Amino acid sequence: MSDGGSIIIRKVIERPRAVAVVLGHLGVNQETMEHYAQWYTDRHCSVVTGTSPPARFTLNQSLKPTALQVWSETCQVLRDTPSHVPLVIHLFSNGGAFLLEEMELLLLHHQSTAAAAAYQQPATAATTSTDEASSDSSHLTKDDYDLIAQRLKTGYQFFDCCPCYIRMAWDWSNFSQSFPHPAWSSWGRGSYTLVSSSCLTMWCTATLSWNRPSRFWERMLHSQVCLHNIYAYTTMDLATDAFKLEQLIEHRRTTLGADCKTYRFEDSNHCRLARDHPDEYNKAIDEALEAAVQRNQNPTDAS
């Protein structure tokens, strides 16, 4: 199935260890998504996949229709699994992270007002998104969202080369430390950052979305939907600023008490970690999945 260019796949396994939602990077094809899904079916997990429709992503349009469809497919699978089966999410680049953001907003609309206020920053921008989420969420009930939230609490979010910090041209914070490519000098890093931030600023200007980068990053910083996070990234990545990502990870650890596990590499490019480091990558999935299964057998360990 597809939704305006999104690749939606559902694979159901009898007596699954977990239900996995896999969110692909921008421009991923059907064959690659099938390959990603197989990582989890091979581990005896049911799988739902989703991707950001390229046109909507490029134009900075709402991804809520796709987010709603992914949750609807996921809920159909969860309803037929025992309560001890966790929900895990594996995502790639900002194509996956933008879609995750919209999926979390749909969940958040059904959480307590206090939790929503803590997550949605800045308040003005987030309030609009939440109001939009309420109109899009009518296809699923509050019980459905509660089911998703509870299963995800004991699961995990596996971030592959994301979230990617979207630096605008006027943002000079940690400028010379960004993109810590091992072969680059601070001058080289600064030059690349200047060029990339100029391009991103033109993109946000063309799509009239100047607040989009800060709103997205604040949500990635403060999200409490799932506090079990795995980050796999590389310092050679020219799309994901490893320095800003490490700042985000540290913030989540110290401010939210999040359980963040990191896998840092020095010799891969964007979204190529699984191909370049298959043994380490597969071990990371195995360890994360086993930990999620154990947490769900011992719910007091989930928080």
Side-chain angles (χ1 to χ4, degrees):
M1 287 180 291
S2 66
D3 170 34
S6 178
I7 301 172
I8 307 292
I9 302 169
R10 187 174 71 187
K11 295 179 179 289
V12 179
I13 301 294
E14 187 176 355
R15 293 184 174 180
R17 296 177 65 203
V19 175
V21 174
V22 181
L23 307 177
H25 53 81
L26 187 66
V28 66
N29 59 34
Q30 179 88 19
E31 182 181 359
T32 301
M33 287 306 296
E34 293 277 2
H35 177 66
Y36 292 160
Q38 189 175 350
W39 290 349
Y40 283 94
T41 55
D42 285 350
R43 291 171 169 84
H44 207 73
C45 299
S46 293
V47 182
V48 174
T49 75
T51 59
S52 295
R56 282 184 169 274
F57 183 98
T58 303
L59 296 174
N60 258 325
Q61 294 177 342
S62 174
L63 300 177
K64 287 184 176 65
T66 305
L68 181 59
Q69 185 173 1
V70 173
W71 276 150
S72 297
E73 296 286 339
T74 302
C75 203
Q76 289 183 52
V77 179
L78 287 176
R79 291 189 194 110
D80 295 328
T81 62
S83 60
H84 65 269
V85 175
L87 173 63
V88 305
I89 299 179
H90 197 127
L91 59 146
F92 298 84
S93 191
N94 269 9
F98 276 27
L99 183 53
L100 176 67
E101 175 192 21
E102 299 294 356
M103 291 164 64
E104 288 194 354
L105 283 172
L106 287 170
L107 279 181
L108 188 66
H109 176 68
H110 299 277
Q111 305 302 306
S112 68
T113 303
Y119 174 60
Q120 294 176 342
Q121 300 190 20
T124 302
T127 300
T128 301
S129 295
T130 305
D131 290 341
E132 293 172 1
S134 65
S135 62
D136 282 337
S137 62
S138 58
H139 296 82
L140 292 174
T141 68
K142 183 180 184 302
D143 287 343
D144 291 331
Y145 283 108
D146 287 344
L147 173 64
I148 293 169
Q150 186 60 39
R151 299 292 188 89
L152 185 54
K153 182 180 179 182
T154 54
Y156 62 78
Q157 294 173 329
F158 192 121
F159 295 85
D160 184 319
C161 296
C162 64
C164 310
Y165 183 68
I166 306 171
R167 185 186 292 272
M168 303 293 277
W170 50 82
D171 179 1
W172 290 82
S173 61
N174 307 113
F175 201 77
S176 63
Q177 296 170 288
S178 61
F179 294 100
H181 193 298
W184 285 359
S185 64
S186 58
W187 181 88
R189 291 195 296 270
S191 298
Y192 177 77
T193 303
L194 179 62
V195 172
S196 63
S197 63
S198 298
C199 293
L200 290 170
T201 301
M202 287 190 287
W203 173 52
C204 291
T205 300
T207 56
L208 302 178
S209 52
W210 296 282
N211 293 329
R212 184 75 176 96
S214 60
R215 191 170 69 240
F216 166 70
W217 199 250
E218 286 296 316
R219 287 172 178 157
M220 293 294 103
L221 279 170
H222 299 290
S223 171
Q224 298 183 52
V225 171
C226 178
L227 294 178
H228 300 285
N229 312 129
I230 300 96
Y231 296 90
Y233 61 99
T234 165
T235 56
M236 285 186 65
D237 199 324
L238 299 183
T240 305
D241 185 344
F243 179 80
K244 294 299 291 188
L245 180 58
E246 287 173 346
Q247 283 189 322
L248 177 143
I249 293 167
E250 185 60 23
H251 174 87
R252 290 185 59 76
R253 281 174 174 158
T254 58
T255 304
L256 303 179
D259 170 26
C260 297
K261 189 163 186 177
T262 60
Y263 296 88
R264 172 175 166 148
F265 298 88
E266 308 285 346
D267 57 352
S268 291
N269 291 317
H270 192 61
C271 293
R272 290 183 58 91
L273 294 174
R275 181 178 299 181
D276 294 342
H277 300 276
D279 293 340
E280 296 95 325
Y281 202 93
N282 280 295
K283 183 179 178 182
I285 296 176
D286 289 336
E287 291 179 350
L289 189 57
E290 181 59 27
V293 171
Q294 291 300 321
R295 278 193 299 272
N296 223 39
Q297 293 175 353
N298 302 281
T300 55
D301 297 335
S303 58

